[in-house]
Amino acid sequence: MSSFTMYTTPWCGYCQRLKGQLGREGITFDEVDIEQVPEAAQIVEQVNDGNQTVPTLVYSDGTAMTNPSIAQVKAKIAELA
């Protein structure tokens, strides 16, 4: 089971960069394209003051981060462990 879901779009450069970094670190996650899943876009809007800002990560504890660094993601995963 992954510790977070990443909400993305296919054209988002920040999403691509973070996915590459996570892959190199061996960190698994669930990915949802907000352009294909309308209810996912609503989740992103709720945590970003009405904006569809990606990447947005929602963790297993319900907290969220928008466009985090790999260091922030690793620290949060360690906190959840």
Side-chain angles (χ1 to χ4, degrees):
M1 183 175 105
S2 66
S3 58
F4 65 90
T5 299
M6 182 189 299
Y7 295 93
T8 68
T9 61
W11 47 264
C12 170
Y14 296 110
C15 300
Q16 299 303 321
R17 184 187 70 213
L18 184 57
K19 286 190 283 188
Q21 292 170 331
L22 292 166
R24 286 188 291 279
E25 294 287 337
I27 298 171
T28 60
F29 57 94
D30 297 318
E31 182 178 355
V32 178
D33 178 348
I34 67 168
E35 291 184 339
Q36 300 299 316
V37 184
E39 55 272 17
Q42 293 172 351
I43 292 168
V44 170
E45 289 174 1
Q46 288 172 355
V47 299
N48 291 298
D49 298 319
N51 298 307
Q52 291 186 6
T53 308
V54 289
T56 294
L57 282 58
V58 177
Y59 294 90
S60 58
D61 66 353
T63 61
M65 289 181 178
T66 303
N67 197 17
S69 68
I70 187 68
Q72 290 171 308
V73 175
K74 289 170 71 173
K76 183 63 179 182
I77 291 170
E79 177 187 316
L80 294 172

